[in-house]
Amino acid sequence: MKLRVDRDAFAEAVAWTARALPTRPAVPVLAGTRMEVAADGTSLHLSGFDYEVSTRASVEVLSEEGGAALVPGRLLAEIVRNLPPGSVFIDSDGTKLRITGGAARFTLITMPLEDYPSLPAMPGRIGSVPADAFAAAVRQVCPAASRDDTLPMLTGAYLDFSGEALSVVATDRYRIAVRELWWSPEDPGLDLAALVPARTLQDTVKGMIGRSNVDVALSTVTVGEGVSLSPGEGMIGFENGERRTTTRLIDSDFVKYESWFPREFGARAEVAVAPLAEAVKRVALVADRHTPLRLAFARGEVVLEAGSGEDAQAVEAIEVDYEGDPLRIAFRPDYLVDGLSGVETDTAYLHFTEPTKPAVFTDVPAKEGDAPAFRYLVQPLRVP
């Protein structure tokens, strides 16, 4: 192959395809990025695959000679990212691929193309969702997913497609994050769900193009008249512009999360999100992740405390609009920060029942009586 490509566009495309490549692949070729010039010579197709996640991207090029090559993906991404701005020239000769940008020139040894697996086809399209809203939902919810791979179900983000409503949910048993958003289904009567690896979903939305739509594709199986389910060995795909990705679904049922949310609350605080989050971070400086950060709510203020008489201590008070009896409750500091970071409105509602029972953080709906778009249930810590 022999071609010229813009450095910035090429760097974005390479980064997109390389993001899911394994650092210690079971088979060496799975660490590679496949590069192939399109038949008409106007674009370069890039792809990566590790048998779980596939990534594909295209970038415009000026090609003098077609061809294909397989090169180490992460190394390629690092090289292109550090080239000077401007045009990048690529040409291959036998088992070598040369990359030239400005005065810099790199030579990579190619990997055997014939050993590279075929990428899976995209499943059937089921609808589309605004990219910005979907990316925001994933960022709000996925911090609540577990990182313990011994419980695969809890490492996933649950996507519940019901008509024009899409719910994105994650939990690690100690908290649950839920974001509701609108989407456009192919079938208005659609009722499907998929459990997607949360880390893959987070990587996917990082490269999405703003102010555009994301097509969602899902493999399904009909189990009865009018009833379709996503099978355990199913696959979900996302397509955004010239970028596509697929990933296998987690073969597990998700928890019945709605039953965890309390129906009634005995107290509620409305608080400015940014000042509370900043106060939590300051007070938590004297605590580790598992040390309780205590909050004492009373009319007009909340007092945050961490530490004890034998350790470093911190105290800070901020204003709140509080309704209910005085309340003392404690949380892990990082759980508090994750919950507040998920709230997109300037103020948040903090709902409480008892000091030992879950609290629920939500955004403040634009209209009184409307359901919040984001909900975050968190289990408090017991303190003496």
Side-chain angles (χ1 to χ4, degrees), residues 296-346:
F297 288 90
R299 193 168 299 278
E301 73 168 6
V302 56
V303 179
L304 294 78
E305 297 179 78
S308 64
E310 299 177 356
D311 302 307
Q313 300 176 58
V315 180
E316 184 169 346
I318 64 172
E319 293 183 1
V320 298
D321 183 0
Y322 182 72
E323 300 173 1
D325 295 332
L327 175 77
R328 293 180 62 85
I329 194 167
F331 300 100
R332 271 182 53 165
D334 56 330
Y335 284 9
L336 268 176
V337 171
D338 285 345
L340 293 171
S341 298
V343 177
E344 292 185 312
T345 51
D346 292 337

Side-chain angles (χ1 to χ4, degrees), residues 10-172:
F10 188 40
E12 286 186 12
V14 171
W16 167 262
T17 54
R19 62 185 169 77
L21 294 178
T23 52
R24 295 183 180 86
V27 182
V29 293
L30 297 183
T33 289
R34 190 177 193 276
M35 306 167 61
E36 182 175 11
V37 178
D40 62 5
T42 62
S43 60
L44 177 68
H45 302 313
L46 302 148
S47 57
F49 185 39
D50 68 352
Y51 288 113
E52 293 291 330
V53 180
S54 76
T55 53
R56 284 168 271 201
S58 296
V59 60
E60 291 184 359
V61 299
L62 290 174
S63 173
E64 295 182 24
E65 186 178 331
L70 183 67
V71 296
R74 292 183 182 273
L75 178 58
L76 177 66
E78 282 297 310
I79 288 173
V80 178
R81 185 171 63 86
N82 285 284
L83 289 175
S87 294
V88 175
F89 297 88
I90 298 173
D91 68 282
S92 61
D93 179 14
T95 60
K96 295 181 179 180
L97 182 87
R98 288 180 289 273
I99 304 169
T100 305
R105 180 174 176 176
F106 294 84
T107 301
L108 299 181
I109 304 300
T110 60
M111 307 161 82
L113 266 173
E114 61 273 14
D115 294 342
Y116 196 68
S118 298
L119 269 65
M122 285 287 282
R125 182 180 182 275
I126 61 170
S128 64
V129 60
D132 291 335
F134 185 59
V138 170
R139 287 193 295 267
Q140 288 171 287
V141 166
C142 283
S146 175
R147 292 160 182 78
D148 182 1
D149 291 329
T150 62
L151 293 169
M153 175 193 72
L154 301 180
T155 64
Y158 183 69
L159 305 183
D160 188 0
F161 305 93
S162 180
E164 293 186 344
L166 168 58
S167 300
V168 185
V169 191
T171 181
D172 62 3

Side-chain angles (χ1 to χ4, degrees), residues 176 257-269 322-325 327 329 331 349-363 371-372 374-380:
I176 305 172
Y257 64 91
E258 281 293 354
S259 62
W260 293 19
F261 283 84
R263 299 298 178 192
E264 297 181 353
F265 300 97
R268 187 185 80 174
Y322 182 72
E323 300 173 1
D325 295 332
L327 175 77
I329 194 167
F331 300 100
Y349 285 145
L350 314 184
H351 304 267
F352 305 103
T353 52
E354 299 177 16
T356 57
K357 292 187 176 180
V360 177
F361 302 173
T362 73
D363 52 24
F374 175 72
R375 292 176 291 155
Y376 182 85
L377 177 146
V378 57
Q379 180 67 39

Side-chain angles (χ1 to χ4, degrees), residues 7 38 72 79 104 113 123 167 210 216 241 243 273 276-277 348 367 374 383:
R7 193 285 305 263
I79 288 173
L113 266 173
S167 300
V216 182
R243 299 172 184 177
V273 173
L276 179 57
K367 295 181 181 178
F374 175 72
V383 292

Side-chain angles (χ1 to χ4, degrees), residues 191-192 220-232:
D191 189 6
L192 285 172
T220 59
V221 59
T222 300
V223 296
E225 185 176 350
V227 180
S228 294
L229 299 174
S230 177

